[in-house]
């Protein structure tokens, strides 16, 4: 989708600090980080939100990549959090499915 900001990042049309990229997934640093480590992991194919996933195998790919990135960055020692905001009350502001990978500080619970 040419008007979707995350599609454009995944396609390389808008710059981002990429952490990982393969044929299915892209991961890049959040422009407005909420923790010392804040990475967004997205499917390269446009999908509006978690509520719009047709092929459930996407979940294994997305979460597997996020866990592997966390391992590569050594985040599992102190821990990390994966978050998927969905829809308006879920706090989703970009309508392209993305998984937040957050680490590097004590993350409060419950979230706001
Ligand atoms: P949401 O609120 O939809 O769960 O998360 C969207 C995230 O995307 C936010 O944390 C926001 O900072 C990030 N974001 C929005 N636009 C851009 C952008 O152009 N580049 C990057 N790297 N992150 C973005
Ligand atoms: Zn998109």
């Amino acid at each position: 989708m040419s008007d979707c900001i995350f599609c454009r990042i995944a396609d390389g049309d808008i710059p981002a600090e990429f952490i990982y990229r393969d044929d299915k997934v892209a991961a890049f640093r959040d422009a407005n980080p909420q923790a010392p480590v804040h990475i967004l992991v997205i499917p390269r194919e446009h999908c509006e939100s978690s509520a719009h996933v047709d092929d459930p195998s996407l979940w294994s790919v997305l979460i597997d990549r996020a866990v592997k990135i966390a391992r590569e960055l050594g985040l599992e020692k102190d821990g990390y959090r994966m978050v998927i905001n969905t829809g308006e009350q879920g706090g989703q502001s970009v309508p392209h499915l993305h998984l937040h990978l957050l680490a590097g500080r004590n993350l409060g619970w419950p979230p706001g």
Side-chain angles (χ1 to χ4, degrees):
M1 287 225 319
S2 60
D3 59 345
C4 170
I5 191 159
F6 283 0
C7 281
R8 296 187 66 194
I9 287 175
D11 290 345
D13 295 338
I14 293 178
E17 192 182 335
F18 281 96
I19 301 294
Y20 178 85
R21 193 159 28 176
D22 63 26
D23 58 330
K24 293 198 165 60
V25 165
F28 51 91
R29 292 199 191 274
D30 196 292
N32 183 24
Q34 301 302 311
V37 178
H38 189 171
I39 294 165
L40 300 172
V41 186
I42 69 168
R44 293 187 62 169
E45 189 173 314
H46 183 78
C47 174
E48 188 174 326
S49 81
S50 69
H52 295 77
V53 173
D54 291 326
D55 180 356
S57 71
L58 175 62
W59 291 119
S60 55
V61 174
L62 204 65
I63 293 175
D64 176 71
R65 299 304 187 275
V67 168
K68 283 184 176 146
I69 291 164
R71 190 178 300 146
E72 282 285 315
L73 297 177
L75 305 181
E76 62 201 28
K77 179 175 167 292
D78 291 328
Y80 57 87
R81 182 174 294 169
M82 295 188 284
V83 175
I84 299 174
N85 296 327
T86 303
E88 193 179 336
Q89 289 197 345
Q92 184 176 6
S93 61
V94 176
H96 178 129
L97 172 62
H98 48 284
L99 180 155
H100 297 258
L101 176 61
L102 298 146
R105 66 170 172 86
N106 281 314
L107 299 162
W109 192 264

